[in-house]
Every structure is written in C-alpha cells, then in structure tokens.
Amino acid sequence: MKLCLGIESTAHTFGVGIVSFKGKILANAKSQFTTTTGGMIPTDVAKHHDVVKARVLAEALEEAKVSMKDISVIAYAELPLVPINHSVAHLSIGDLICKAKDPIYLYVSGPNTQVIGFAGGRFRIFGETLDIGLGNMLDKFAREAGLGFPGGPKIEQFAKGTYVELPYAVKGMDVSFSGMLTKAVGLLKKGTPLGDLCFSLQETAFAMLAEVVERALAHTEKKEVVLIGGVAANKRLCKMLDDMCRARKMKFCAVPLEYSGDQGVMVAYQGILQFTNGERVAPEKVDIHPYERIDEVEVSWK
Ligand code: AMP
Ligand code: MG
C-alpha cells in the first residue's frame, strides 16, 4: 500500500497525517498551541511546534501502524516532496469527507473567509472578507473579553442572550467583520453582557455568510455546499447554512471537527492528488509562497 505523510505547521497546529493513495485515512496526530491569556505569539507557537514535533510524528506512525520506511511521498531528506497550498488542502479534504462533486465551499478559518467554487479550470473566489477572517474576528473579541485562544469555541459556549444590533456588512459578494468587532468590543467595555455580545456576533456574522453563499449558489447553479476551516466546528453556523440549503433543496455538509481545522491528513491527501498527477520537487528546490491565493494555484488533479 503506497502511503503519503503530510505535515501541517502553518499556524497554531503541528499535525502529521498519513493517508493511503486510495484515500484511506490511517493517522491524524496533532497538537494545538493554546493559551489562557493573550493570543497566538509567533515565537511561542514556533517553540510549541519544536517541542511536540517528534512526539506527534511518532504518534502518527503508531496510529497508522507503519514506520518511515513505508512512506512513499513527503518525508524530509531523500524522498520526493510535493509542495501544496494550505487552503486548497482544506477544500480537497472537504471533497473526500463529504463525497462532494462540485460544491460551493465556504472556507472559514482563523485568517480566511472565502466563498469558493471550481470554474474554468481553477478555484474561483466569488466572495471574501474585505478585512479580517471570521475566526480572527472571534479570537480578537475573545481576547478582549479575557477568554484566551482559541476564542471561537468559547464564544459559541457563551452565546446566549438578547440580540444587540451590530453592523451587518455585506458588500456585493464580500463581507466585512472589523466594524462589528469594534462595536462589540466598545459595548463590552460599557458593560453589555458577554452572552448578549457572543450571541449577536454569531447571529450577525453567520447570517452575512449564509446570504453570500446563497447568492453564489444562485449564480453558479451548483447544488452542494461544503463548510470547511476551523469555524466549521460551530453548530450555529452549520444550522443556519443547513436551513438555507434545505429551503433550496440542496446538499449541505460540514466537515467534522477532526478534519475541518488544520491537520496533517489534508496535507497528505493533497500531496497524493498532486503526486499522482505528476507533481514533485527535489527537496533543495522547494520554495515557500505564503501569499499564494487559491485562484493562483494550477489545478492538475481535477
Ligand atoms: P483553522 O485556522 O482552520 O484551524 O481555524 C481556527 C479558527 O477556528 C480559530 O479562529 C478558532 O477560534 C475557530 N473555531 C474553532 N472552533 C470554533 C467554534 N466552535 N466556533 C467558532 N469558531 C471556532
Ligand atoms: Mg487552515
């Protein structure tokens, strides 16, 4: 059985995934950087990754019941490397888990908020945030409220109360979250209950996204929605999108928590897709493109 090992380390999570070339997931080991105060400080995150990397790799090999000898692709040193785009990997694992054919993707992670669909040989961004990503907006509010990192799950937990009006910012197919963050932080400082603000942030931001996704479906005539990225774990967001899809008789699939946030499985699976379509790079030629957008990626595997 040919195996690919994928390593995720672009943000808070150090993860190692092992996937067979037939798409069977054998291991998903990971360790996430967390704090109880402050945010994600890059040097602290790097230290975390350095401390956990050997243990996470050992855990993944143990979970898959294999050794490094059994890995065919993406291991450092002499094996071929397949550089992948992190965002594209989120989409591809969504396709695999949801058995989706040609969906509209709502990709909501820490820094990213994009409505994406495949058209004319590339992933196209139909709409996106004009300022900060949905996860970062939630994390920033949580930090101001002293809830620690990651803030999204805490906000979901506290989201009970009365709706307080926050700026609803949809501009064409794009959205904006910084206005609602500023307003909510101001209200928090003036003593508005935390539950009311968490509830209102979720209701406003998620309704904006449901509106934009609905418009993308109408324009593209696609029939499926796949929700991916760390914020896909949020039950209220899933409910709103599911309600919208049901009303239009369309299929909705939220990628389950285990595979929706950053992890190594999506990296391994994306590696297989590209490797089997002839992509590989010698380790010494590997370059990193942190600002590569999803619509710049040459798609060899679809
Ligand atoms: P990612 O960058 O894809 O790993 O996603 C991380 C983001 O997901 C962080 O901003 C988290 O706060 C957010 N997140 C995780 N779980 C939830 C949740 N239940 N509700 C809202 N946001 C969440
Ligand atoms: Mg991510």
Side-chain angles (χ1 to χ4, degrees), residues 12 90 108-111 135-136 138-139 150-153 156 229-231 233-234 260-262:
H12 44 70
H90 272 296
V108 277
S109 68
N136 283 2
L138 297 171
D139 291 340
E156 176 166 31
V231 193
N234 190 289
S260 64
D262 292 351

Side-chain angles (χ1 to χ4, degrees), residues 3 25 36 62 109 119 144 168 192 198 200 233 260 284 299:
L3 303 179
I25 296 166
T36 48
E62 198 183 316
S109 68
E144 292 289 337
Y168 182 100
T192 303
C198 292
S200 308
S260 64
E284 63 279 9
V299 176

Side-chain angles (χ1 to χ4, degrees), residues 136-214:
N136 283 2
M137 185 274 282
L138 297 171
D139 291 340
K140 282 185 182 181
F141 179 78
R143 194 168 69 205
E144 292 289 337
L147 301 177
F149 176 84
K154 296 272 170 54
I155 289 180
E156 176 166 31
Q157 198 186 318
F158 288 115
K160 283 181 201 82
T162 313
Y163 185 76
V164 187
E165 194 157 338
L166 297 174
Y168 182 100
V170 171
K171 300 175 189 205
M173 305 275 283
D174 294 327
V175 292
S176 151
F177 296 119
S178 62
M180 83 174 63
L181 173 64
T182 306
K183 176 92 188 272
V185 170
L187 289 170
L188 181 73
K189 289 188 175 148
K190 284 193 198 130
T192 303
L194 181 65
D196 291 1
L197 291 170
C198 292
F199 174 71
S200 308
L201 278 173
Q202 290 204 158
E203 293 304 300
T204 313
F206 298 169
M208 284 160 44
L209 291 171
E211 179 187 332
V212 178
V213 170
E214 185 168 22

Side-chain angles (χ1 to χ4, degrees), residues 64-136:
K65 298 193 177 54
V66 297
S67 73
M68 281 309 288
K69 289 198 305 297
D70 304 311
I71 305 291
S72 310
V73 186
I74 313 196
Y76 290 113
E78 68 273 25
L79 291 179
L81 284 177
V82 183
I84 61 118
N85 175 292
H86 176 92
S87 305
V88 164
H90 272 296
L91 305 192
S92 295
I93 199 70
D95 285 349
L96 179 73
I97 301 281
C98 291
K99 299 186 177 61
K101 304 239 151 35
D102 183 24
I104 288 291
Y105 304 91
L106 176 59
Y107 172 34
V108 277
S109 68
N112 297 294
T113 301
Q114 291 179 325
V115 179
I116 301 163
F118 191 74
R122 268 172 200 264
F123 291 107
R124 309 286 169 179
I125 300 164
F126 294 114
E128 65 186 319
T129 178
L130 297 172
D131 40 51
I132 52 175
L134 178 60
N136 283 2

